[in-house]
Amino acid sequence: MAAPLLEKLSESLGSPEPAVRLLLSILIGYPFALVYRRFLFYQPATVIHWFHTLSGLALAAFNFGPQLYHSAVCIIVQFLMLRLMGRTVTTVLSSFTFQMLYLMAGYYYTATEEYDIKWTMPHCVLTLKLIGLSFDYYDGGKEASQLSSEQKSGALPSVPSLLEVLGFSYFYGGFLVGPQFTLRSYQKLVAGELTDCPGKPPNSVIPAMKRFGLGFLCLVIYAIFSPSYPDSYYLTDEYEAQPFWYRCVFILLWGKVILYKYVSCWVIAEGVCILCGLGYNGVVDGKHQWDACANMKVWLFETTPLFGGTISSFNINTNAWAARHVFKRLKFLGNKTLSHVTTLLFLTIWHGLHSGYILCFSMEFLIIIVERKAQALVQDSPLLTNLANSPLYPLIYVVQQFLHWLLMGYPLVPFCLFTYDKWLKVYYSVYFCGHVFFITAYLIMPYLRKVLVPRKERRIEKQD
């Protein structure tokens, strides 16, 4: 009975059935959260763990059928590693290796040339959860003086039970699309500690509905405009026949629209976490904060003219996870650039095995380097500083935003088209303009400094 209804709903919405299933699964998190608030908040931890485990398994079965066994295998193996291998570096390395190899094997055996919603999609979220769990368990065996504030907040004082790990892994608010959170945060949720009213369910209905409303608005924007900007259009003769300026503007608008697919899912899922209390983040300036599970800073995402601003506003939890468990753990290398490159390489592999991911993240690295050099140039040059603070800035802002979104859409082309034969065709059609822009900017930056930055400032920079 359910299958024909889903088929009809899929046809009426003009979306593939797996996408409809995913959206319904994210939305059903709201009634699940209401059940938790109304009937389970005061129940023993065991009851809550069972609820989270069974509800998450139901969502996995609804979306992926018998393939849910992949998640179960990885969770059980992770639990056995913690139990049998203890708080050791070997546990961390074994967890990292097993979980990543399992995910990559999944990518290898299920990969197609299209974006498919299959079991590997939530499994990449689960992979980070389980690897992070091994790090947090390892940190729990260290002296407090050896840990950073982030590590202290996530460190586990004792080994969790299997049921606890299952509830943490399958929690309906984060199983399918995230966000990332630690087992310590989950334990506080189950203990009823994540609330602005001690001993009572949190007053989070209004904050949750605000995020739901914002996420739904982003979903509507995507639903309205995405049919006009399909990925497939890049590969048509019609696109190649368009003028150069049209092809560039299409990349700009397509890049902006395509990201709403991710923004809408993350913001709606965040609302679920807020509703049950997991999003509670303490008090700042006398106001209760509900952004512990925020994966998007939507206002910053919409208004920033900087690439760094867009990156810092997008997929926040995953970036924070990578910073905490990869970038900062590589401090022993003594080289931030090498740590940054290694972190981006990890994120590349974590996303998938297609060549498009490699090109996208390598472009991101180049973009950030060029932007930082440009910001330093503006800051050190009196002429550029005065221009940035002049009445002409609104015009500069418009031009900057145009370039920003054009050159943000540019690296998204390989990210979404996957294979080199597709993204290479698109880049040929626009004469590799993004590569030319950033490489040229990188090469001429030293000469611009000589012209625009006073000699005294250049000497100071050289000394630093």
Side-chain angles (χ1 to χ4, degrees):
M1 181 67 180
L5 288 176
L6 283 171
E7 289 179 7
K8 291 180 180 179
L9 183 59
S10 175
E11 290 176 5
S12 62
L13 294 176
S15 298
E17 186 177 322
V20 175
R21 286 179 180 268
L22 176 64
L23 179 58
L24 290 175
S25 299
I26 296 173
L27 291 174
I28 204 173
Y30 285 89
F32 281 165
L34 290 174
V35 169
Y36 164 74
R37 290 169 60 93
R38 179 66 178 84
F39 301 106
L40 301 175
F41 185 83
Y42 300 103
Q43 294 297 317
T46 301
V47 176
I48 299 175
H49 293 322
W50 274 114
F51 174 68
H52 291 158
T53 301
L54 295 176
S55 58
L57 281 170
L59 293 179
F62 176 65
N63 283 274
F64 312 111
Q67 291 181 329
L68 64 83
Y69 79 86
H70 292 290
S71 59
V73 166
C74 289
I75 292 168
I76 293 171
V77 169
Q78 183 63 60
F79 171 75
L80 292 174
M81 285 182 182
L82 299 183
R83 281 285 185 174
L84 302 177
M85 301 174 71
R87 302 181 193 272
T88 63
V89 174
T90 303
T91 305
V92 175
L93 293 177
S94 299
S95 170
F96 194 99
T97 302
F98 174 78
Q99 302 296 352
M100 286 300 295
L101 285 178
Y102 199 103
L103 178 64
M104 286 188 286
Y107 285 147
Y108 179 80
Y109 286 108
T110 65
T112 67
E113 294 187 2
E114 304 292 335
Y115 182 82
D116 300 317
I117 296 176
K118 47 188 179 288
W119 69 266
T120 54
M121 186 200 68
H123 201 86
C124 69
V125 177
L126 179 64
T127 296
L128 296 191
K129 275 188 181 179
L130 297 178
I131 293 174
L133 176 59
S134 69
F135 275 110
D136 292 337
Y137 183 57
Y138 174 71
D139 289 341
K142 293 182 178 179
E143 295 292 333
S145 59
Q146 297 178 295
L147 302 176
S148 67
S149 58
E150 284 181 319
Q151 291 169 343
K152 287 178 184 177
S153 66
L156 294 168
S158 61
V159 62
S161 67
L162 176 58
L163 184 58
E164 200 170 26
V165 175
L166 286 168
F168 162 69
S169 301
Y170 285 117
F171 172 67
Y172 50 84
F175 173 65
L176 291 170
V177 296
Q180 292 294 327
F181 51 89
T182 65
L183 180 58
R184 285 292 297 126
S185 295
Y186 173 76
Q187 289 173 334
K188 291 179 181 179
L189 171 71
V190 173
E193 298 175 12
L194 295 181
T195 176
D196 56 336
C197 301
K200 297 180 180 180
N203 292 312
S204 57
V205 174
I206 293 178
M209 291 302 101
K210 286 181 178 179
R211 297 309 280 178
F212 170 78
L214 181 58
F216 188 76
L217 175 61
C218 294
L219 182 64
V220 169
I221 292 173
Y222 176 74
I224 292 173
F225 291 102
S226 60
S228 300
Y229 299 95
D231 300 353
S232 58
Y233 184 65
Y234 281 120
L235 307 177
T236 63
D237 294 335
E238 182 182 349
Y239 177 76
E240 289 193 356
Q242 300 291 350
F244 173 73
W245 68 266
Y246 182 95
R247 282 172 271 164
C248 290
V249 171
F250 183 87
I251 290 176
L252 182 154
L253 296 175
W254 167 85
K256 186 71 173 175
V257 169
I258 198 70
L259 290 179
Y260 279 109
K261 174 171 63 176
Y262 305 99
V263 174
S264 58
C265 290
W266 288 334
V267 176
I268 292 174
E270 182 194 346
V272 175
C273 295
I274 292 173
L275 187 59
C276 68
L278 190 64
Y280 186 64
N281 203 19
V283 180
V284 176
D285 297 329
K287 295 183 178 180
H288 295 284
Q289 305 297 308
W290 301 97
D291 58 355
C293 293
N295 219 9
M296 281 296 307
K297 296 179 180 177
V298 179
W299 180 253
L300 178 62
F301 174 77
E302 293 293 348
T303 60
T304 180
L306 302 174
F307 298 100
T310 300
I311 292 171
S312 64
S313 69
F314 189 83
N315 206 1
I316 298 169
N317 274 274
T318 300
N319 292 335
W321 188 100
R324 177 185 170 196
H325 294 300
V326 182
F327 180 81
K328 294 179 182 179
R329 304 272 179 174
L330 295 175
K331 188 177 180 180
F332 67 90
L333 295 176
N335 187 310
K336 284 188 175 182
T337 301
L338 182 57
S339 297
H340 190 185
V341 170
T342 305
T343 303
L344 288 177
L345 179 60
F346 166 78
L347 289 173
T348 299
I349 298 171
W350 175 73
H351 275 90
L353 302 178
H354 291 295
S355 62
Y357 294 127
I358 298 174
L359 189 62
C360 175
F361 284 100
S362 62
M363 283 289 294
E364 177 185 324
F365 182 68
L366 176 61
I367 288 170
I368 292 300
I369 289 177
V370 171
E371 183 171 79
R372 287 175 180 171
K373 288 181 176 293
Q375 286 179 292
L377 177 61
V378 172
Q379 184 178 3
D380 294 341
S381 169
L383 175 63
L384 295 179
T385 300
N386 291 334
L387 187 61
N389 294 322
S390 72
L392 291 175
Y393 181 71
L395 177 60
I396 297 173
Y397 176 82
V398 171
V399 174
Q400 193 176 5
Q401 278 286 29
F402 178 84
L403 290 174
H404 167 221
W405 280 109
L406 171 61
L407 297 171
M408 273 299 297
Y410 189 83
L412 284 175
V413 170
F415 185 90
C416 294
L417 296 187
F418 298 146
T419 57
Y420 76 93
D421 56 320
K422 293 181 179 179
W423 54 257
L424 196 59
K425 182 177 181 180
V426 179
Y427 281 166
Y428 267 124
S429 72
V430 292
Y431 313 115
F432 292 89
C433 61
H435 290 81
V436 172
F437 179 87
F438 285 112
I439 293 173
T440 302
Y442 180 82
L443 293 175
I444 68 171
M445 207 67 72
Y447 301 100
L448 290 176
R449 289 194 68 86
K450 290 182 180 180
V451 174
L452 298 173
V453 179
R455 187 179 298 273
K456 180 180 178 181
E457 295 293 333
R458 280 186 273 143
R459 284 201 300 269
I460 292 174
E461 180 191 12
K462 188 175 182 180
Q463 291 172 2
D464 291 341

